[in-house]
Amino acid sequence: MAMRYTFGGDEHLFVECSEAMSLHAFFASLSMTKAIGEAGIKGITEICPANASFQVKFDPDIIHPDDLLKEVKAIETAASGAAPVISTRIVEIPVFYGDPWTHETLMRFRERHQDPSGTDLDYAARINNYATVEDFIAAHAGSPWFVSMVGFVSGLPFMYQMVERQRQIEVPKYLRPRTDTPRLTVGHGGCFGCIYSVRGAGGYQMFGITPMPIYDPTQTTSYLRDFMVFFRPGDIVKFKPVDRDGYDQAVEEVDKGLFVPPIREVRFDLAEFQKDIDGYNAKLEGLLHGH
């Protein structure tokens, strides 16, 4: 679809790239926000990309809304033939699936769940047609995820699984939101995965927990000293299942300032990815581990 433009109040331009989330819609949002940022348009104060849309905040005393709209539409026209390629990074995130902390929490809120008789992992495995929870975890951790936006609460990444649509994990949110979710819970709602950056309310299914802080307003975590939020849109995430010992060891390394997640700079080509999704994902994972 052509991009849809609407104004929000006097200071915001909202641009909808597509009515449905897809990697194409996400790339359109990411490439447009990057191009708008590089254009140096006077009067723009903030650019915020989202899953399949973006918002531009501007000062109407500096640039008239109609002039801003004209500038952004010109960028859309110029970008329409561009190859969907981005420079980004891939990061490996350890996950302790079926951990005791999310398990204790989900048992406290069972009356708010679609299937009170089991766990969130049991339910997700069953409705996605996996024979066992272990098979489901293998699918969840088996392919990478794109960070399509960061927000809702500080530092929380929304992630979109990099597989064909028919293979994507889909799980509805809880019937009623919880009033508690452990910090660093790896969750899922609809087609989106997430990591809860702070403890608090939430409605996503809970699959596990990561020992890796992704938001640190004190900026004392070794890899968050330059910026308190770890994720940025376009990041590629590969989950690595760990057991209790692996989790405890990583927590200890974080506490001692020794933990550094494996990260590699990569160039991602959407057209090449779509030619051979599994092969391209394997290549990305090989780059992560220096193969």
Side-chain angles (χ1 to χ4, degrees):
M1 68 175 251
M3 292 191 183
R4 187 184 300 163
Y5 295 84
T6 51
F7 286 105
D10 297 329
E11 299 180 338
H12 296 92
L13 174 65
F14 177 70
V15 186
E16 188 180 7
C17 302
S18 173
E19 291 180 352
M21 175 60 194
S22 67
L23 286 177
H24 269 293
F26 163 66
F27 264 76
S29 167
L30 198 64
S31 60
M32 279 290 291
T33 52
K34 187 170 181 289
I36 292 166
E38 290 171 351
I41 301 166
K42 285 196 171 106
I44 289 179
T45 56
E46 196 173 349
I47 306 166
C48 183
N51 296 319
S53 60
F54 62 92
Q55 188 162 276
V56 179
K57 186 177 182 184
F58 62 95
D59 183 343
D61 291 333
I62 296 176
I63 185 167
H64 191 279
D66 292 342
D67 293 333
L68 175 69
L69 181 61
K70 210 176 294 177
E71 295 260 20
V72 174
K73 281 187 170 180
I75 290 170
E76 180 193 356
T77 302
S80 60
V85 177
I86 59 168
S87 294
T88 185
R89 57 184 187 164
I90 183 169
V91 56
E92 185 176 83
I93 309 253
V95 181
F96 181 16
Y97 288 92
D99 66 281
W101 304 284
T102 58
H103 182 79
E104 184 276 330
T105 305
L106 66 86
M107 293 308 291
R108 272 193 285 134
F109 291 97
R110 228 57 218 138
E111 81 287 352
R112 303 182 184 215
H113 195 274
Q114 291 87 344
D115 185 3
S117 63
T119 67
D120 294 7
L121 278 169
D122 293 334
Y123 175 67
R126 179 168 57 78
I127 68 168
N128 283 278
N129 299 314
Y130 288 97
T132 66
V133 164
E134 289 71 28
D135 290 344
F136 176 79
I137 290 170
H140 188 270
S143 57
W145 300 69
F146 252 116
V147 175
S148 54
M149 66 176 277
V150 180
F152 185 67
V153 296
S154 296
L156 183 149
F158 287 83
M159 297 173 289
Y160 189 73
Q161 196 177 20
M162 294 165 59
V163 292
E164 300 90 339
R165 181 161 292 217
Q166 62 269 26
R167 288 168 58 198
Q168 284 180 343
I169 290 167
E170 290 197 28
V171 195
K173 295 190 285 188
Y174 274 44
L175 297 175
R176 287 187 295 130
R178 300 176 303 274
T179 54
D180 191 23
T181 309
R183 174 177 166 264
L184 299 179
T185 290
V186 175
H188 198 96
C191 67
F192 289 108
C194 83
I195 301 173
Y196 284 78
S197 52
V198 295
R199 183 180 181 181
Y204 277 25
Q205 308 283 338
M206 297 183 288
F207 296 162
I209 203 161
T210 177
M212 178 184 152
I214 59 169
Y215 170 64
D216 179 9
T218 67
Q219 293 181 238
T220 53
T221 304
S222 57
Y223 53 88
L224 295 175
R225 284 185 185 133
D226 293 334
F227 194 57
M228 66 180 70
V229 171
F230 179 76
F231 286 111
R232 48 193 187 233
D235 280 346
I236 300 170
V237 173
K238 185 70 172 61
F239 293 122
K240 177 190 175 185
V242 296
D243 58 12
R244 179 63 190 262
D245 287 344
Y247 175 85
D248 289 343
Q249 182 183 342
V251 168
E252 189 178 331
E253 289 175 359
V254 168
D255 290 344
K256 290 179 177 175
L258 302 174
F259 182 87
V260 180
I263 302 175
R264 293 290 180 274
E265 299 293 324
V266 294
R267 179 178 174 275
F268 182 85
D269 185 320
L270 182 61
E272 290 300 312
F273 167 79
Q274 289 178 324
K275 284 180 194 170
D276 177 13
I277 289 175
D278 289 341
Y280 200 91
N281 285 342
K283 189 171 85 173
L284 286 172
E285 192 171 353
L287 292 170
L288 182 58
H289 295 289
H291 299 162

